[in-house]
Every structure is written in structure tokens, then in C-alpha cells.
Amino acid sequence: MSHRPPRLPVQAVRPTREQSVRDKRAVIMRAALDLFSRYGRHGTSVDQIASAAGLSKSNLLYHFSNKDDLYVCVLRELLEVWLAPLRDFSAEQDPREAIGDYIRRKLVISRDRPDASRLFCLEMIQGAPLLRDELDRELRTLVEKKSEVIRAWVEAGKLAPVDPPHLIFALWAITQHYADFGVQVQALSGHTLDDEGFFERTVENVQRIVLQGIEPR
């Protein structure tokens, strides 16, 4: 008879304290995003966020000093997600491919994170009282940097003459419309971006409208 060595107990891998803190902050921020995007900063209380996150108010305030601190953290995360596709623009790219891919990626964000887009829109409508510094620094710097890329495409004859900031504004407006006015889109078309066929038609049409408008004459 063969003798098998005794099985050693499997020890559960315990998350580090840092990972546990990150996970809890992520849960809080998801709950906060859902409530802020529906009721706004003033219409949402810390108690509501704590309840939605399954935490006590004191536990929430251990991770975020107050509601405004949490609100700004949520907005900063949204800004990072929102701007990521624009960061990838480079003068070495073919502009049609770069802008076409940008449109698709922004529509994916509108489809998958409409609450994020709506909250950002709400903050802008209110004058960005808590995000003004971020806009004046990071966003302005990024837009200026990517405007230079667009100018390089224009100077190389790869795009029709266009004022770069206005092209960026137009791309933001048209792609985020499907999140910020999703109810209107559904009422008029009978579809949402969650409908795969409608999503692909939206991407194709927006790409065609934009790219035909800026192709070299």
C-alpha cells in the first residue's frame, strides 16, 4: 500500500492592508458616482453614500474626509477615464485612423459609463466649482498639446484646415450626447448603445460625419 503525504491545509491569500483600503475606496466611489450622477452633489448625503456602499458613515469618513473630498475624487477619476483616448493622439498616426478610433473609444465610454459622463456634464453646467483647478491645469495643458498634433496633421495636408480646439469640442459633444441625452436618443430611435447593432451603426455614422467633414479638399 502506498502512503500519500498528508495534505497541507490551503491557506487563503489575505489581501494586504493597502489592497483592502483601495478596494473599499473603490466601492465607496462607485456608490458615490451612482448617487451623484442622479441627484447631484447637493442632493446626495454622506449617509446615503455609506448606505449604498454597505458601510457605516464613520467608516466612509475614514477614507474620505467629507462629501466634497469624495466628490472631487470621483470627478478626478472620471476626468482620467474621459481623457485617456485623447492622450493617445500623436503626429505619427494617420489622422483618419486616430480620430476614428477616438470616436469609437469615446462612444464605448458613453455606453459603458453613462453615469460618469452625466456627472461630468452636471459639474460643467454648474460652473465646475470644485474642478476648476483641474480644468485650468491638466485639461488645458492636454488640449494645447493635442492641438499641436492636429495642427501638424493640417500642415502636412492630412486634414482640412480646422481650428483644433473646436474639433476637440465637437468630438466631445457628439460622442457624449449618447450618454448625456440617452433618454432622448432612446425615445427617438427606439434603441440604446447597449444594442450592439445600434452601437455599431452609431460608430459608423459618427465616424463618417466627422471624417468626411475634415478630410483634405
Side-chain angles (χ1 to χ4, degrees):
M1 180 182 291
S2 61
H3 296 281
R4 294 180 180 178
R7 268 185 157 178
L8 297 176
V10 177
Q11 294 184 345
V13 178
R14 294 184 177 180
T16 63
R17 184 178 183 280
E18 291 78 9
Q19 183 61 49
S20 180
V21 169
R22 284 196 297 270
D23 290 346
K24 193 159 290 187
R25 284 176 63 92
V27 169
I28 294 169
M29 290 176 69
R30 282 197 298 271
L33 170 58
D34 177 59
L35 291 168
F36 285 143
S37 67
R38 285 192 285 160
Y39 307 115
R41 176 167 60 97
H42 297 296
T44 302
S45 69
V46 172
D47 288 311
Q48 288 174 309
I49 298 169
S51 176
L55 302 171
S56 67
K57 180 178 179 178
S58 60
N59 200 333
L60 185 152
L61 293 175
Y62 172 80
H63 295 280
F64 299 93
S65 58
N66 53 51
K67 185 174 70 173
D68 283 354
D69 176 37
L70 173 55
Y71 183 76
V72 170
C73 286
V74 169
L75 286 173
R76 284 174 176 163
E77 182 183 71
L78 300 186
L79 191 60
E80 186 60 33
V81 170
W82 192 53
L83 294 178
L86 184 61
R87 296 186 193 282
D88 292 341
F89 273 24
S90 69
E92 293 73 29
Q93 292 176 294
D94 175 83
R96 290 183 61 86
E97 292 181 4
I99 294 172
D101 180 63
Y102 178 82
I103 289 169
R104 175 175 289 277
R105 291 174 67 184
K106 286 292 271 83
L107 285 169
V108 166
I109 295 172
S110 288
R111 180 193 66 194
D112 295 347
R113 303 194 65 176
D115 50 355
S117 182
R118 287 193 295 268
L119 178 57
F120 195 86
C121 179
L122 183 62
E123 175 68 8
M124 296 303 102
I125 290 172
Q126 294 174 344
L130 296 182
L131 203 61
R132 175 68 67 177
D133 289 344
E134 302 290 332
L135 298 180
D136 288 343
R137 293 196 311 270
E138 183 179 3
L139 185 56
R140 179 188 293 272
T141 299
L142 180 61
V143 168
E144 289 175 348
K145 184 176 180 180
K146 297 310 172 179
S147 291
E148 289 303 316
V149 172
I150 295 171
R151 289 190 186 95
W153 287 335
V154 172
E155 290 171 3
K158 297 178 180 180
L159 286 183
V162 61
D163 189 2
H166 290 291
L167 173 58
I168 293 172
F169 297 157
L171 291 172
W172 288 346
I174 196 170
T175 54
Q176 287 176 235
H177 176 89
Y178 291 88
D180 301 340
F181 293 87
V183 172
Q184 175 179 274
V185 170
Q186 184 176 14
L188 297 179
S189 69
H191 299 281
T192 71
L193 292 184
D194 289 326
D195 179 326
E196 185 176 353
F198 180 72
F199 175 80
E200 289 301 329
R201 291 195 300 274
T202 300
V203 172
E204 292 169 8
N205 277 279
V206 173
Q207 287 175 336
R208 186 181 306 115
I209 291 166
V210 172
L211 295 176
Q212 287 184 354
I214 59 177
E215 65 185 8
R217 300 293 186 266

